[in-house]
Amino acid sequence: MTAEVDVLVIGAGAAGLAAARAVLAAGRSVVVLEARGRVGGRVVTDHRLGVPFDLGAAWLHNAEDNPLVALADQLGAKLVDSDALRQERTLVGDRPATEAERAAYDAAWDDFTARTEARAVADGPDCSVAEAAPRGGPWDATVAAWQGDIIAAAPLDRLSLRDFVDTALNGGNRLPEQGFGTLLARLAEGLPIRLSSPVTRLAWGGKVAVAEGAFGTLRARAVIATLPTAVLAAEALRFDPPLPPEVMQAAHDLPLGTVAKVGFRGADALGLAPFTSVDRQVRPGEPLVAMSARPFGRDILACHVGGDAAAALEAEGDAALEAFMRAEVARRFGAAAAKTLRDGTIVTDWLRDPFARGVYSHARVGRASARGILAEPLAGGRLCLAGEACHARLAGTVGGAWWSGEAAARAALAALR
């Protein structure tokens, strides 16, 4: 490994890959040190079910301005418009919702958006999303569970309303046929990446930074660290000198939520069309399971649960999470249908992953400004933090992480000049 480079990138997730590509494009030397034995960070495609299955991020959100859409096109990677293909099925108990119930459900989504956006722009201090959201209607708890536990990965009462509205997704979605992790792995090809090389100490106080770990030492004129906020907050990497107090506070103010996913084979027996999304009406406090069946016609069912329910199930272990999902399938489709799901499932564990410690970030109430603080270059750009939590518009998305990595690279390159 080169003993000294212009820019060191810590982490080979989306932000790290974007930063490394930008540095190389500028004609500067770069090395990426990745703690895991693979690239992709919280984006990885698994093939244990015999077909591509994304353990983490799966969709390219806000496709109209997502930088990864154009990059996928350049690579010839097939993306499909999942919004156009998706067939939605909503249950009330164990029966399909009526036309009138579906209309009421749609109206509840519109009411949620209208009320939260109106409250966000009104005068007054920030509040939680729960405080602004409608409640009491027959579908309000279901919409709240979607918007909080599933989409934001945390309950609405912990989310800053201003950050929630600022980062709300309003564009189309694309789904990579071979998996999002596969796409990122292709974008990593040719980059100088050293795997299984966690950095344990980063001395960044002088004109040249020194990274230390089991790999030895590496000197760099600028550093881009793309650690998730939960890893930063836990001080898993020792910065010397320590990061400024306001930066550490920002990391604590942008915690990662939890979403757990279980992938089953045997979805063909459920009688669902390809790209079917299945949910059901839930009561206040009841966990919502989002199901996606037969993507690309594959014999796969992906079940998601988020928030506190996901955290509790992950703490119990894989068997408890799988059993919970099987019971939910039986509730919706009957015990006989649930038995058609074959053994050999995939169960995610992002909360237990020491290099992730969660899925994606949300801002605590009153701390929407934390994203800007975290993204501000340090030492004139010689140390930059990057990742989805640093993007003020597309936080929580791979596209946001990519944009953040490119912004950090621009700041680091400016510092070199």
Side-chain angles (χ1 to χ4, degrees):
M1 186 169 61
T2 304
E4 184 169 335
V5 292
D6 288 325
V7 179
L8 164 64
V9 176
I10 301 175
L17 298 180
R21 288 166 61 99
V23 172
L24 284 180
R28 297 286 190 166
S29 61
V30 63
V31 164
V32 182
L33 295 178
E34 167 55 47
R36 296 183 178 89
R38 59 166 180 80
V39 302
R42 288 165 278 174
V43 188
V44 56
T45 302
D46 193 295
H47 290 82
R48 282 176 289 170
L49 296 178
V51 295
F53 184 86
D54 281 313
L55 302 180
W59 286 272
L60 282 71
H61 298 297
N62 273 46
E64 294 77 10
D65 60 355
N66 189 317
L68 290 158
V69 171
L71 290 170
D73 288 343
Q74 292 172 18
L75 293 174
K78 182 179 179 181
L79 304 178
V80 301
D81 185 343
S82 58
D83 298 329
L85 294 171
R86 184 175 62 248
Q87 299 192 40
E88 297 183 354
R89 178 174 177 177
T90 299
L91 303 177
V92 177
D94 59 357
R95 64 168 177 80
T98 65
E99 184 176 345
E101 287 168 333
R102 289 196 301 270
Y105 191 18
D106 291 340
W109 277 93
D110 292 341
D111 189 32
F112 179 96
T113 300
R115 291 201 193 190
T116 52
E117 288 182 351
R119 179 67 178 269
V121 299
D123 292 336
D126 189 20
C127 66
S128 73
V129 180
E131 187 175 336
R135 66 189 72 183
W139 291 99
D140 289 341
T142 307
V143 174
W146 263 107
Q147 293 279 25
D149 292 346
I150 299 295
I151 295 175
L156 294 182
D157 60 2
R158 297 181 203 159
L159 307 179
S160 158
L161 176 63
R162 287 182 178 165
D163 181 72
F164 180 86
V165 171
D166 287 346
T167 60
L169 301 175
N170 55 13
N173 300 285
R174 300 293 182 270
L175 195 63
E177 185 173 28
Q178 296 306 313
F180 208 159
T182 301
L183 174 59
L184 276 198
R186 291 191 62 188
L187 291 170
E189 292 174 358
L191 296 178
I193 300 172
R194 177 146 181 173
L195 301 176
S196 302
S197 300
V199 178
T200 56
R201 177 176 177 268
L202 179 68
W204 61 283
K207 291 186 177 180
V208 176
V210 181
E212 300 174 358
F215 55 83
T217 61
L218 178 68
R219 296 163 60 86
R221 296 174 60 199
V223 179
I224 299 171
T226 68
L227 306 179
T229 53
V231 177
L232 282 174
E235 301 184 57
L237 189 163
R238 183 161 68 91
F239 289 86
D240 185 12
L243 293 176
E246 63 273 18
V247 175
M248 287 301 298
Q249 184 61 52
H252 284 280
D253 288 335
L254 295 167
L256 301 187
T258 307
V259 172
K261 185 187 303 186
V262 179
F264 294 101
R265 295 177 297 173
D268 287 351
L270 299 178
L272 300 173
F275 296 100
T276 295
S277 173
V278 186
D279 71 350
R280 68 175 177 86
Q281 186 183 52
V282 297
R283 300 182 300 273
E286 183 182 6
L288 172 69
V289 174
M291 296 182 179
S292 300
R294 306 187 62 235
F296 302 97
R298 296 165 182 157
D299 187 25
I300 297 295
L301 178 68
C303 301
H304 310 68
V305 65
D308 291 345
L313 287 164
E314 273 206 34
E316 289 187 56
D318 291 357
L321 189 51
E322 180 180 342
F324 173 84
M325 294 302 191
R326 285 184 180 274
E328 184 65 24
V329 173
R331 179 173 185 168
R332 299 185 189 189
F333 300 101
K339 290 179 181 178
T340 66
L341 300 178
R342 300 196 291 275
D343 293 334
T345 58
I346 288 178
V347 181
T348 63
D349 60 351
W350 293 108
L351 192 60
R352 289 175 279 161
D353 182 336
F355 304 121
R357 307 189 187 207
V359 287
Y360 39 83
S361 65
H362 60 272
R364 299 185 192 276
V365 178
R367 297 298 298 158
S369 62
R371 299 197 188 279
I373 295 171
L374 201 66
E376 188 67 25
L378 301 170
R382 286 185 289 109
L383 174 61
C384 299
L385 303 181
E388 54 83 15
C390 295
H391 201 276
R393 175 66 190 92
L394 294 178
T397 73
V398 185
W402 193 273
W403 283 127
S404 172
E406 290 187 335
R410 289 193 294 271
L413 291 168
L416 297 183
R417 292 194 291 270

